[in-house]
Amino acid sequence: MGKLKQRLEQSGLSLFVSLPANDVRLAKAAIEEGADALKVHFNVGHRASGTHFGPLESYEDVFSQIRSTFDGPFGVVPSGSLEGVSEEEFMRLAPLGFDFYSIYAHHLPSCMLGDHGLDRTFAINDTYDLSQVQEGKRFGFTALEASIVPGNEYGTGLSFADLLKYRYLADHSGLPVLVPSQRKLVEGDVPSLQLAGVKAIMLGAVVTGTTEEQLRRAVSSFRSAIDRLS
């Protein structure tokens, strides 16, 4: 069983951090403040942080250093398009120490559906028919990333309408639901997200900012809020 699957099968809510940059210093800060899992990127433009992540070769040393300091689930977004990741690159992910990948379903080529030693997650955006996700489990996926906030609403507050959608996905997808911080989540949102059936909150640039100090504050506050639930 992969590390991501093990983590998500534990009771309670987990705290994931999607790093705003492929930076060992930021990774260590997230770990020290209580992150349960980390996610990085390559071959993709990241809307929330305004960052473009280059090819895998640019980050191999960084990814290896992060892996050497962290024993928890370590994931990667390998592309921002259907053509953006080669099978050769994909085959290098597990040897680099990655435990899982995360990618939009419409960016995911069929070659990534095989068993390559990685847990698999897929993301949906605001244009998807939510009922489509019911078939994801049949393809061996470990989790669903509910990236369902329209791009022009990034950074706005969490609404009850969002929570209803997360609850629907938790009830009908058959998969653990991860919620990225496309909204400007605050620690007071944590109990409501748990009630919505979410298994992990994934903090990204909208909440963490881009500096080490900002990231530490955000991760620490959400860690405390999650710990208070139990």
Side-chain angles (χ1 to χ4, degrees):
M1 183 186 299
K3 291 183 179 181
L4 178 67
K5 187 175 179 63
Q6 286 181 322
R7 181 73 226 176
L8 294 174
E9 287 189 350
Q10 295 181 21
S11 61
L13 192 59
S14 293
L15 181 61
F16 292 12
V17 176
S18 178
L19 296 176
N22 295 333
D23 185 302
V24 177
R25 190 171 41 86
L26 293 178
K28 288 181 177 179
I31 296 162
E32 289 169 2
E33 299 301 335
D36 296 311
L38 298 178
K39 187 176 80 171
V40 293
H41 306 72
F42 68 89
N43 283 345
V44 64
H46 192 248
R47 182 197 292 262
S49 65
T51 302
H52 177 77
F53 296 92
L56 178 59
E57 290 80 5
S58 303
Y59 308 114
E60 287 190 22
D61 288 345
V62 171
F63 293 159
S64 294
Q65 289 179 61
I66 293 173
R67 176 78 285 177
S68 71
T69 64
F70 180 58
D71 192 43
F74 184 34
V76 63
V77 179
S79 179
S81 70
L82 187 61
E83 301 80 19
V85 61
S86 68
E87 189 166 9
E88 184 273 331
E89 282 181 319
F90 186 64
M91 295 295 291
R92 289 157 59 192
L93 299 181
L96 278 172
F98 287 109
D99 302 298
F100 70 96
Y101 70 71
S102 174
I103 189 170
Y104 278 111
H106 55 285
H107 294 162
L108 198 159
S110 61
C111 68
M112 292 176 65
L113 293 174
D115 182 5
H116 299 292
L118 299 167
D119 281 337
R120 291 172 275 168
T121 79
F122 72 98
I124 61 171
N125 65 21
D126 61 297
T127 68
Y128 280 67
D129 176 350
L130 298 186
S131 66
Q132 290 178 317
V133 302
Q134 297 176 27
E135 305 306 320
K137 191 172 184 180
R138 295 178 183 267
F139 289 88
F141 280 86
T142 304
L144 166 67
E145 186 173 330
S147 302
I148 57 176
V149 174
N152 63 355
E153 296 182 22
Y154 280 18
T156 58
L158 183 72
S159 72
F160 182 52
D162 299 321
L163 293 169
L164 289 174
K165 292 175 184 176
Y166 297 146
R167 183 75 253 184
Y168 178 91
L169 292 171
D171 287 343
H172 293 90
S173 68
L175 293 168
V177 174
L178 320 179
V179 169
S181 62
Q182 298 170 305
R183 297 292 188 191
K184 183 69 172 178
L185 299 178
V186 296
E187 58 184 281
D189 293 324
V190 169
S192 296
L193 288 166
Q194 184 188 48
L195 189 61
V198 171
K199 284 298 293 182
I201 298 171
M202 183 179 291
L203 299 183
V206 167
V207 170
T208 66
T210 57
T211 70
E212 179 182 347
E213 182 181 359
Q214 291 170 327
L215 184 142
R216 282 187 181 277
R217 279 201 306 269
V219 177
S220 176
S221 68
F222 276 82
R223 178 76 273 161
S224 295
I226 289 172
D227 291 346
R228 286 197 296 271
L229 294 174
S230 57

